[in-house]
Amino acid sequence: MQLRVVTTVLVVGVGTVLVLGAFVLGQIRDGLIETRVDRILAESARDAASATDLVGAATAATPGDLQQFMNNLYESLRTVGGESRGLVILQAPQNDSDVILTAGVSSPELVGVITPEMRTAVDEGVAQPWQYVAMPGTGEPGLVVGSTLPFRDAGDYELYFVYSLADEQQTLGLIQQVLIGGGLVLIGLVLIQTWTVTLQVVRPVRHAAKVASRLADGLLSERMTVRGADEMATLATTFNDMAESLQRQITRMEDLSRLQRRFVSDVSHELRTPLTTIRMASDVLHDRREEFAPEVARSAELLANQIDRFEVLLSDLLEMSRIDAGAAQLEFETVDLADVVEDEVEAIRHAASGLGVEVRLHVAAGRHTASMDRPRVGRIVRNLLSNAVEHAQGGAVDVAVASHQRAVAVVVRDYGLGLTPAQVDRVFDRFWRADAARARTMGGTGLGLSIAREDAQLHGGRLEAWGQPGEGASFRLTLPRTARGLGQQPVLPLAMRADEFTALDGHGAAR
Ligand SMILES: Nc1ncnc2c1ncn2[C@@H]1O[C@H](COP(=O)(O)OP(=O)(O)O)[C@@H](O)[C@H]1O
Ligand SMILES: [Mg+2]
């Protein structure tokens, strides 16, 4: 910003100085030359008049005398002039007298500056013709003033005064130099001033930007220093007020959410004791349902089922609040992910075949060990598997395990119902279900995937989802092998195709 302001000032300043300088110089030149020309014209008119008087009164018997008179006149006119000037006397073209009087009365180098137009003007009797010329040799500017010298005995002659304007030109050059120098100094001063002024404005703005970015980084108690009572101080005060209210809001939200978490955890804990009692009572009823009337027996069964779901929900809630409170303790051990996945696949196989779903496990060659909390990873995989089986609609479920140097991964893919991209975005939200009214065969609380993702993140890993309506859904869990993180390269594609699963078998160890 500072640079921009200074550049603008520079451009505007240079422009102004140039225009102003040219104008002032023009005015001075006009004034200077005008006075000089006036003076020259007055002087030459006076001298020409006195010369004409002398010539008019001249009486000479012989041409020699006349020539003598002319020489004297030339000398006197040359020395009389107050200003440095040259003199040219020429015989008028229409003068056909045989007395020629111009010998030695003209500086030959000056004759060249008298133009034909000048001579015509003089001959035609124009009062006091004058003209700007370039001086011979130097090329400096000059001025020629013409007049006539009518001799009684020798016909008409022309008299020219040649003045040099070199002095004026020199003065003008000097003035120009002074103007340029002055302009440069002026621009320099203005630039320095602009620089310091913008610095005064820019510095607090930079300070504000720094404080704002620290605030954004979560340092909520960061404030601007308020100095003086100008606009910057107002900005700082307003900024600080904003930060203050932001901090208050955030603190309030934090308190609120802490309270909420406490509430959920307390309620879940409190519910556990009565639930255990209900569970025992229900178990008694369930065990003796044969003795009841059919509808009572059916009720006893329903009660037992719903209490099962209630227990799952409660334990999910407790787990959630434990994770939220940051109280989740991970116990790491080095485990082969393929072993964990194989155990879970075996565990679900029975329930799956009840739904006509075949679960196929594909394990890439090599070992897929990583440091992990085995029960938690097992729970993630169990969640993915039960979801896949539940949504497979009787189709197959493919499970792949592979690894590279940085990470191990498992992909669970079904070819059933699928998910829209919008649903994929929400699938990890708490309590979210694509269709809450959907027939629930294995039952869930809508907390399964959010807990799974939290678990993955506790490991420094990632849980991602993909889905296409009608093509099924795919979930990929990636866990780091070391503390260096997951690396850039994915271990397995997220939307894995059936042939990609079978390709793994080709290299894979038999399992
Ligand atoms: N493989 C899948 N195919 C289609 N939808 C799925 C799949 N897995 C999960 N979902 C959707 O995500 C929702 C949330 O899953 P989850 O968190 O495990 O909760 P729950 O299984 O208890 O409903 C499910 O209700 C379902 O709508
Ligand atoms: Mg589930």
Side-chain angles (χ1 to χ4, degrees):
M1 166 171 146
Q2 198 167 8
L3 208 69
R4 211 166 47 218
V5 171
V6 169
T7 325
T8 317
V9 168
L10 184 69
V11 170
V12 172
V14 168
T16 317
V17 164
L18 277 183
V19 170
L20 215 69
F23 177 71
V24 167
L25 202 67
Q27 289 294 77
I28 291 179
R29 185 176 45 217
D30 289 354
L32 208 67
I33 302 276
E34 231 167 76
T35 24
R36 181 70 207 281
V37 168
D38 285 350
R39 226 167 40 217
I40 288 173
L41 289 182
E43 184 185 278
S44 54
R46 190 193 64 216
D47 290 351
S50 69
T52 314
D53 287 349
L54 280 176
V55 167
T59 47
T62 65
D65 287 347
L66 263 180
Q67 179 69 60
Q68 187 57 46
F69 170 81
M70 182 67 118
N71 288 354
N72 291 343
L73 179 71
Y74 177 73
E75 279 311 316
S76 70
L77 280 177
R78 235 168 53 126
T79 46
V80 157
E83 316 233 6
S84 73
R85 63 181 181 191
L87 208 60
V88 177
I89 299 179
L90 296 173
Q91 194 176 20
Q94 75 277 8
N95 182 354
D96 45 11
S97 159
D98 18 286
V99 190
I100 313 287
L101 298 175
T102 49
V105 291
S106 284
S107 345
E109 77 275 6
L110 286 181
V111 176
V113 301
I114 315 296
T115 57
E117 302 95 75
M118 220 23 214
R119 298 202 61 180
T120 336
V122 171
D123 291 337
E124 284 172 358
V126 176
Q128 196 187 19
W130 61 273
Q131 189 180 40
Y132 289 117
V133 292
M135 295 301 277
T138 56
E140 288 162 352
L143 191 77
V144 174
V145 189
S147 59
T148 49
L149 282 179
F151 282 86
R152 205 157 13 109
D153 300 326
D156 286 350
Y157 277 78
E158 300 162 1
L159 173 64
Y160 299 99
F161 297 103
V162 182
Y163 290 85
S164 164
L165 298 178
D167 282 352
E168 279 69 20
Q169 199 187 28
Q170 212 179 349
T171 313
L172 275 177
L174 205 71
I175 292 175
Q176 198 172 359
Q177 271 173 9
V178 168
L179 276 180
I180 290 175
L184 285 183
V185 170
L186 199 75
I187 290 173
L189 283 179
V190 168
L191 279 187
I192 291 173
Q193 238 169 36
T194 318
W195 184 262
T196 43
V197 168
T198 42
L199 202 66
Q200 277 178 5
V201 176
V202 163
R203 207 181 281 143
V205 171
R206 282 199 191 129
H207 173 57
K210 207 160 78 203
V211 172
S213 87
R214 288 170 69 93
L215 262 175
D217 287 346
L219 296 163
L220 292 179
S221 45
E222 200 73 11
R223 293 290 180 274
M224 275 182 77
T225 33
V226 182
R227 218 178 284 123
D230 53 5
E231 286 81 359
M232 283 331 293
T234 318
L235 172 71
T237 318
T238 323
F239 186 93
N240 287 348
D241 288 350
M242 183 193 75
E244 188 80 44
S245 103
L246 214 66
Q247 188 180 23
R248 252 199 324 270
Q249 295 259 4
I250 289 177
T251 319
R252 225 189 55 206
M253 304 271 256
E254 274 174 355
D255 288 348
L256 211 70
S257 100
R258 201 175 309 125
L259 214 71
Q260 259 171 4
R261 284 203 301 267
R262 273 279 301 279
F263 178 75
V264 170
S265 134
D266 287 353
V267 168
S268 315
H269 274 292
E270 289 305 318
L271 282 177
R272 263 215 313 218
T273 326
L275 187 64
T276 317
T277 321
I278 296 172
R279 157 112 264 163
M280 286 191 307
S282 146
D283 281 350
V284 172
L285 290 178
H286 195 252
D287 288 346
R288 300 176 56 181
R289 65 188 184 282
E290 250 93 272
E291 305 164 20
F292 301 146
E295 24 351 316
V296 182
R298 176 88 193 108
S299 297
E301 238 163 70
L302 272 179
L303 183 62
N305 277 343
Q306 290 307 311
I307 287 172
D308 280 348
R309 289 198 58 190
F310 200 173
E311 279 184 324
V312 172
L313 173 65
L314 211 55
S315 70
D316 279 354
L317 275 177
L318 276 170
E319 183 60 26
M320 205 83 236
S321 58
R322 217 171 292 140
I323 291 174
D324 280 347
Q329 288 284 326
L330 267 62
E331 282 177 29
F332 284 101
E333 50 184 318
T334 302
V335 185
D336 192 322
L337 181 64
D339 292 340
V340 180
V341 173
E342 198 178 357
D343 287 352
E344 297 300 336
V345 167
E346 285 316 318
I348 205 167
R349 200 152 254 156
H350 179 69
S353 62
L355 291 166
V357 174
E358 185 198 358
V359 183
R360 303 184 294 221
L361 177 59
H362 314 268
V363 180
R367 307 210 9 98
H368 313 295
T369 51
S371 173
M372 62 181 90
D373 183 316
R374 185 176 177 142
R376 276 177 199 275
V377 175
R379 182 169 64 187
I380 301 173
V381 175
R382 200 177 320 134
N383 252 307
L384 299 182
L385 283 174
S386 66
N387 281 347
V389 167
E390 194 178 347
H391 296 95
Q393 296 185 302
V397 168
D398 275 317
V399 182
V401 179
S403 60
H404 62 36
Q405 281 204 321
R406 305 283 293 269
V408 297
V410 49
V411 170
V412 179
R413 163 90 203 248
D414 68 76
Y415 306 92
L417 221 49
L419 289 162
T420 65
Q423 289 174 330
V424 168
D425 286 343
R426 302 217 47 197
V427 99
F428 297 107
D429 290 354
R430 290 175 187 188
F431 297 109
W432 183 86
R433 291 179 221 165
D435 181 3
R438 198 187 275 171
R440 312 191 67 82
T441 39
M442 297 178 94
T445 58
L447 278 173
L449 284 178
S450 44
I451 292 179
R453 175 170 261 190
E454 299 277 1
D455 273 337
Q457 281 164 356
L458 283 176
H459 281 85
R462 246 200 315 256
L463 180 60
E464 298 143 291
W466 167 91
Q468 268 307 309
E471 287 181 37
S474 180
F475 288 81
R476 175 176 64 190
L477 169 70
T478 315
L479 298 175
R481 295 188 101 148
T482 61
R484 284 191 304 139
L486 296 173
Q488 294 294 317
Q489 205 65 31
V491 182
L492 287 167
L494 177 54
M496 244 173 122
R497 295 189 313 270
D499 58 313
E500 288 172 323
F501 283 104
T502 40
L504 283 181
D505 298 334
H507 312 284
R511 274 192 189 256

